[in-house]
Amino acid sequence: MAEPTNTPMPTAPPTPRSGSPVPALPTTTTISTTTTSGQQSLTSSPTTTRRPQWPNPHSQAHSRATSLTVPMHSPGPRPVVLHIGDPVKYNPETYAEFSTLFDVVRPSAEERARPAFMAALREKRWGDFAAIFRPFWGTGGEMGLWDAELIALLPESVRVFASAGAGFDWADVKLLGEKGIIYCNSGLAAGEAVADFSVALIISTFRALPYCITSASKPGTFQAAHAQATALSHNLRGHVLGLVGFGNIGQQIARRCGAGFGMEITYYDVERKSGAVEAALHARYCDGLEALLRGADCVVLCAPSGAGRIINAESLRWFKPGARLVNVARGALVDEDALADALEQDRLSGVALDVHADEPAVSEKLLRFAGSKALLTCHNAGGTVETHVGFEELCMRNIMAVLSGREAISPVNLQWLK
């Protein structure tokens, strides 16, 4: 689930993270791969996968129903949904319901290039559409940043923008809200995958996995690593895990590492969670970033990019000697040059970074530590088949909910909604 190359910079301030864990997934079911044309197609995924269940869009009234409802069953034309990106692949049953309720218009790849896309909006080629639907990361981002220039061209009829992915640093969600458009991300769908991947990265920093893996591929270093890795390795039990951000993903990581590995859980968030959440996860709140960093043996970043460059030369001095850093959030949170300096000076024992400040480029200074102190991956944390099944489903459910006057399932900008 790599970030699109056309979304390099954050455009909105941080927003509170959901305090609830990802919805439970049902038992394994077979996924049909019927295309929208009715033909059967094969995918490269396993033949069975778990499909997430989201709240029924007809079950809860929207607090803004008077102003946001777009009648779906009244006489006359159906609401138009602008579908940007590839066709729906994993959820044909939901799409059948979706396309019954709405007229779905999908611009071609050529029409989605920024100049052509803006020209089409100016001439109202797709009419007064009510929603924007982007079910995949890999496509649908051809028009680049959703900034003031682009958002100004949207018709007043748009009520909801539902997109794949947890991050939204490529869209000015504040400006969308001020225009009356609810932006819904798909972080709920990615939470399980990101949390699982995070555990692997955490383990890598305690068990010197970059060194062990690299040494196994070089015949002359196998024996040396076999003998020397022990002195670099530690069990997770009893060590303090510090989570920066304690929303859906942070809580899932806490549950895995606390219950599964016996780690002590601490967290820092702009919004302290309820006593019930803290008690259930045996998590201790730190009243500032410095307090968390000074006490943690391993720090995991799972905060939105709008938090700013919180890991920098100053905050790196707050880390315990030999501590570890894992980043599954956004590369913009870290001063990579300062981090490389900390590794060079042996102030940190290891890092595991799935995200980078200038993707797809990776810091040359950090690359020097790949295979020794650094595990560097390619924005893979959320990239599973199950995540993409959930992206599609959740995007459609969000749109169906909002346009029927119900509450959005995963909105991120209600505080700016006008």
Side-chain angles (χ1 to χ4, degrees), residues 244-382:
V244 181
F246 207 56
N248 172 37
I249 291 171
Q251 290 176 40
Q252 290 206 48
I253 296 170
R255 183 175 294 107
R256 286 159 171 75
C257 291
F261 294 96
M263 300 190 79
E264 297 181 24
I265 307 300
T266 62
Y267 79 95
Y268 169 66
D269 197 295
V270 294
E271 178 185 275
R272 183 171 183 174
K273 305 309 175 186
S274 69
V277 170
E278 292 181 353
L281 298 172
H282 303 285
R284 176 170 56 84
Y285 176 71
C286 296
D287 60 7
L289 180 63
E290 182 175 357
L292 179 131
L293 298 183
R294 289 191 182 280
D297 297 299
C298 181
V299 175
V300 181
L301 302 182
C302 37
S305 62
R309 189 169 287 181
I310 56 176
I311 303 301
N312 50 46
E314 179 183 10
S315 61
L316 282 164
R317 289 192 285 270
W318 301 337
F319 278 71
K320 294 170 63 172
R324 305 151 184 87
L325 175 68
V326 171
N327 189 3
V328 292
R330 282 292 185 264
L333 297 173
V334 177
D335 181 335
E336 294 177 336
D337 287 345
L339 181 61
D341 290 342
L343 290 170
E344 181 73 37
Q345 297 161 14
D346 290 325
R347 289 187 282 126
L348 297 185
S349 63
V351 301
L353 310 175
D354 182 50
V355 289
H356 310 275
D358 190 27
E359 295 180 11
V362 176
S363 163
E364 291 187 7
K365 292 183 70 174
L366 287 172
L367 281 171
R368 298 204 310 266
F369 298 98
S372 57
K373 296 181 178 181
L375 179 62
L376 306 175
T377 54
C378 307
H379 207 134
N380 303 117

Side-chain angles (χ1 to χ4, degrees), residues 85-374:
D86 283 352
V88 165
K89 179 179 181 182
Y90 297 108
N91 297 278
E93 297 90 351
T94 303
Y95 185 73
E97 178 185 0
F98 190 74
S99 57
T100 298
L101 296 171
F102 311 117
D103 283 328
V104 182
V105 177
R106 191 170 70 87
S108 66
E110 292 76 16
E111 289 178 300
R112 298 195 301 266
R114 190 175 183 91
F117 191 74
M118 293 178 66
L121 289 175
R122 289 190 186 96
E123 68 186 40
K124 291 188 174 291
R125 184 178 305 168
W126 303 303
D128 290 326
F129 51 91
I132 303 168
F133 172 45
R134 182 186 178 185
F136 296 107
W137 260 131
T139 61
E142 297 85 353
M143 66 291 299
L145 294 176
W146 283 77
D147 52 16
E149 179 184 42
L150 192 55
I151 292 171
L153 299 176
L154 293 176
E156 294 300 318
S157 53
V158 181
R159 291 291 176 263
V160 58
F161 187 150
S163 176
F168 43 88
D169 48 5
W170 51 277
D172 190 334
V173 297
K174 180 177 184 290
L175 189 57
L176 286 168
E178 290 172 348
K179 195 176 174 67
I181 301 170
I182 298 175
Y183 180 86
C184 301
N185 74 346
S186 298
L188 286 174
E192 184 174 17
V194 175
D196 289 350
F197 200 86
S198 299
V199 172
L201 297 187
I202 292 165
I203 292 172
S204 80
T205 67
F206 279 91
R207 297 303 304 271
L209 287 188
Y211 172 50
C212 296
I213 292 169
T214 302
S215 298
S217 65
K218 301 176 181 178
T221 57
F222 184 102
Q223 283 299 113
H226 176 69
Q228 297 170 15
T230 298
L232 305 173
S233 302
H234 296 273
N235 293 349
L236 276 65
R237 184 172 300 279
H239 284 90
V240 178
L241 184 69
L243 294 159
V244 181
F246 207 56
N248 172 37
I249 291 171
Q251 290 176 40
Q252 290 206 48
I253 296 170
R255 183 175 294 107
R256 286 159 171 75
C257 291
F261 294 96
M263 300 190 79
E264 297 181 24
I265 307 300
T266 62
Y267 79 95
Y268 169 66
D269 197 295
V270 294
E271 178 185 275
R272 183 171 183 174
K273 305 309 175 186
S274 69
V277 170
E278 292 181 353
L281 298 172
H282 303 285
R284 176 170 56 84
Y285 176 71
C286 296
D287 60 7
L289 180 63
E290 182 175 357
L292 179 131
L293 298 183
R294 289 191 182 280
D297 297 299
C298 181
V299 175
V300 181
L301 302 182
C302 37
S305 62
R309 189 169 287 181
I310 56 176
I311 303 301
N312 50 46
E314 179 183 10
S315 61
L316 282 164
R317 289 192 285 270
W318 301 337
F319 278 71
K320 294 170 63 172
R324 305 151 184 87
L325 175 68
V326 171
N327 189 3
V328 292
R330 282 292 185 264
L333 297 173
V334 177
D335 181 335
E336 294 177 336
D337 287 345
L339 181 61
D341 290 342
L343 290 170
E344 181 73 37
Q345 297 161 14
D346 290 325
R347 289 187 282 126
L348 297 185
S349 63
V351 301
L353 310 175
D354 182 50
V355 289
H356 310 275
D358 190 27
E359 295 180 11
V362 176
S363 163
E364 291 187 7
K365 292 183 70 174
L366 287 172
L367 281 171
R368 298 204 310 266
F369 298 98
S372 57
K373 296 181 178 181

